Amino acid sequence: MKKYLNITPAMVNDYLRRSNDRNPLHRGTRQIVPGNLLLEKVEEYCTEIKQTAVQSLCITFLHPLYSEEEIVIKIEDVAFRISWVKDDREVLLAKGRWK
């Protein structure tokens, strides 16, 4: 199963406000998307699939993601992968497991 998503600056700014995140890397014109925001999106998608609350997530980040970049979240059994999508090419950003 997979889900495509564009992480917008508005989504990042909303997350920064809710989490009180003041890290300058997540602000400005070239925002790095907070890893916990990506985890939040993975958790929402896993919960949607499982139809019950996710107990735990374990993730390894390989590359940063910037706002306004399209990603795809792929779920295979209890594993997930987050990839950056550009011109039909995918670059693995993070991978992990959930239960």
Side-chain angles (χ1 to χ4, degrees), residues 3 6 9 12-13 16 18 20 33 36 45-46 48 52 54-56 58 61 63 74-75 77 79 82 84 91 96:
K3 181 175 195 168
N6 186 6
V12 172
N13 292 332
L16 296 176
R18 289 185 289 117
N20 201 27
V33 175
N36 284 337
Y45 188 40
C46 291
E48 181 182 312
T52 187
V54 172
Q55 294 176 8
S56 65
C58 178
F61 293 99
H63 299 285
K74 293 182 182 178
I75 305 287
D77 193 30
I82 303 171
W84 172 72
V91 175

Side-chain angles (χ1 to χ4, degrees), residues 2-61:
K2 60 184 170 181
K3 181 175 195 168
Y4 289 88
L5 186 62
N6 186 6
I7 305 291
T8 65
M11 292 167 73
V12 172
N13 292 332
D14 178 62
Y15 176 82
L16 296 176
R17 181 187 51 75
R18 289 185 289 117
S19 66
N20 201 27
D21 185 331
R22 300 193 188 288
N23 187 331
L25 291 174
H26 305 308
R27 301 183 178 278
T29 56
R30 186 99 165 115
Q31 296 173 298
I32 294 178
V33 175
N36 284 337
L37 175 56
L38 288 178
L39 276 174
E40 186 176 272
K41 296 303 175 188
V42 168
E43 181 179 11
E44 288 172 5
Y45 188 40
C46 291
T47 300
E48 181 182 312
I49 291 167
K50 191 175 177 185
Q51 296 296 307
T52 187
V54 172
Q55 294 176 8
S56 65
L57 289 166
C58 178
I59 190 166
T60 301
F61 293 99

Side-chain angles (χ1 to χ4, degrees), residues 57-89:
L57 289 166
C58 178
I59 190 166
T60 301
F61 293 99
L62 306 171
H63 299 285
L65 172 68
Y66 295 91
S67 62
E68 291 297 345
E69 293 182 337
E70 185 179 29
I71 61 169
V72 60
I73 302 170
K74 293 182 182 178
I75 305 287
E76 296 176 10
D77 193 30
V78 295
F80 64 87
R81 298 166 62 89
I82 303 171
S83 298
W84 172 72
V85 180
K86 176 97 172 168
D87 301 325
D88 295 327
R89 186 174 65 99

